[in-house]
Amino acid sequence: MKTAGRPVPQVSQNELQAMAYRDPLTGLGNRYRLRDKVRLIAAERADDPAPFTIGIVNLDGFKPINDLFGSQAGDDILCQVAHRLKACIPDGATVTRHDGDEFAFLLPLVFEKTSAERLGQMIKEVLSAPYDLGDRNVRLSASFGFAVYPFAGEEFEELLKSAETALYRSKRRGRGQITVYSREIAQEMKRSTQLEQALRNAIIADSVEVHFQPIVRIRDASVVGFEALARWNDADLGFVSPAVFVPLAEERGFIDALSDTLLRKAAEAALSWPRELFLSFNLSSAQLMDPGTAATILATLGRVGLDPARLELEITETAVMTSADTAERIIAELRQSGVRISLDDFGTGQSSLGRLRDFTFDKVKIDRAFISRITTDRASEHIVKAIIAMCDGLDLQVVAEGIEEWADAEKLKTLGCAMGQGYYYGRPVDAAATLRYLQTHHRDFMPAQETA
Ligand code: C2E
Ligand code: MG
Ligand code: MG
């Protein structure tokens, strides 16, 4: 083929070079641009190794928006993000776009964690304003990971990997989080991944157990129910507290599987207790955001054969706050089936009194923090007194948590607190030991000659 007549459009070496460094959608530089800039600044600062920072930002929930409104809308948003980032980054900084909804910056004048966090906060606010899609507006939050040179890596690849680790941690913690890489964070990520694997295996092997702690009527110390508390003893990791592994299961998205196993085991154990004793079971906050929770719980009870009227679910104020509408629906559905709801750790959450009015609860559990100081600290005593009076007025039952001493119990008795729980009455023990506890502490379990 002859081309001599008409000249083929020539792309100059410079233009080719520019294309290789440019993201065609947004016009920003791409990963190679960031790499070169980082290498350049590292070389410039070789003699005077002043720190600088790179950051990655990833939009939260971008994919569903792309799927829902189409890729044109998605592209529009990405261009608007690029525009905002360019406008708000400090002078001398570079912003690039990597894959999909991931952008990065090089910040030559950010030297340490606090400045990185402050800048992240500012960019986060800029990105949180609504995006105009012509016929509608959408809002998105963004997660951030920062890495400071040379602590987080001396080579570009290592530095970027550190920023990705920090971003990954932000994503794991929910939306709109900002993390600056540190060795501790890397260690923590590694440990929790090991823990996650071990816990997933333990659930499959059915080796996460439930212990039970008595809840008593303070007046005569008679047992009225038990709280189920998760227990996990790993062969390698040893004893792991539920305060560690429950939040981990929430964060890594398998709290349903864990909670299901625990509820099944707890309900099976409760079948051998006297019928009037209730089972109190902790629900995690993630479960109160999942509209399927009520159905799952009722199905488990149905399979085991435990009457829903014997179940109480403990939820926290924070859990109720995070997703109020869904939580309200779940609570209503469960209460309709006869399940009762207790507000756990009362007094430590974000809101207190307003929640008591807006939500329908049956019981309030006063947090251990107040009970442990009730005999030594007048303020704690007054707070407990006020909570009890308020619950009386609102027709709510009250349980004091964390009763460790005889004197605590006596004080609570004089304050008119009906129920209590704590080491003074009994520590959490396994199902078999719970039956032995009932033999000595519950009239229905008394040997015949003693009751006669
Ligand atoms: P929580 O629901 O407030 O449970 C009470 C915690 O206080 C338990 O800790 C219990 O062992 C401890 N405790 C009870 N009496 C006393 C006392 O007199 N003194 C002291 N110092 N502590 C006392 P545990 O078992 O380590 O559980 C910690 C938290 O983990 C629980 O707090 C609950 O939020 C969560 N958790 C435990 N099991 C489950 C579960 O099956 N599902 C969910 N979602 N969360 C659970
Ligand atoms: Mg509890
Ligand atoms: Mg509690």
Side-chain angles (χ1 to χ4, degrees), residues 314 344-345 401:
E314 300 191 7
D344 203 359
D345 306 339
E401 296 190 289

Side-chain angles (χ1 to χ4, degrees), residues 327-404:
E328 202 168 354
R329 270 197 295 277
I330 295 170
I331 291 173
E333 204 176 327
L334 287 163
R335 289 186 87 241
Q336 234 157 38
S337 309
V339 177
R340 277 159 302 160
I341 306 291
S342 316
L343 198 52
D344 203 359
D345 306 339
F346 185 76
T348 58
Q350 312 162 355
S351 92
S352 305
L353 306 179
R355 293 292 113 189
L356 287 181
R357 195 193 52 203
D358 298 345
F359 281 90
T360 340
F361 299 112
D362 302 278
K363 192 182 267 182
V364 164
K365 298 185 81 174
I366 309 174
D367 194 77
R368 187 171 80 223
F370 303 107
I371 308 301
S372 62
R373 283 180 301 192
I374 195 170
T375 56
T376 53
D377 173 37
R378 283 189 50 79
S380 294
E381 179 184 336
H382 279 290
I383 291 169
V384 171
K385 209 163 143 181
I387 297 176
I388 294 169
M390 182 186 65
C391 289
D392 270 352
L394 292 171
D395 243 351
L396 293 166
Q397 297 189 305
V398 193
V399 181
E401 296 190 289
I403 303 177
E404 293 189 352

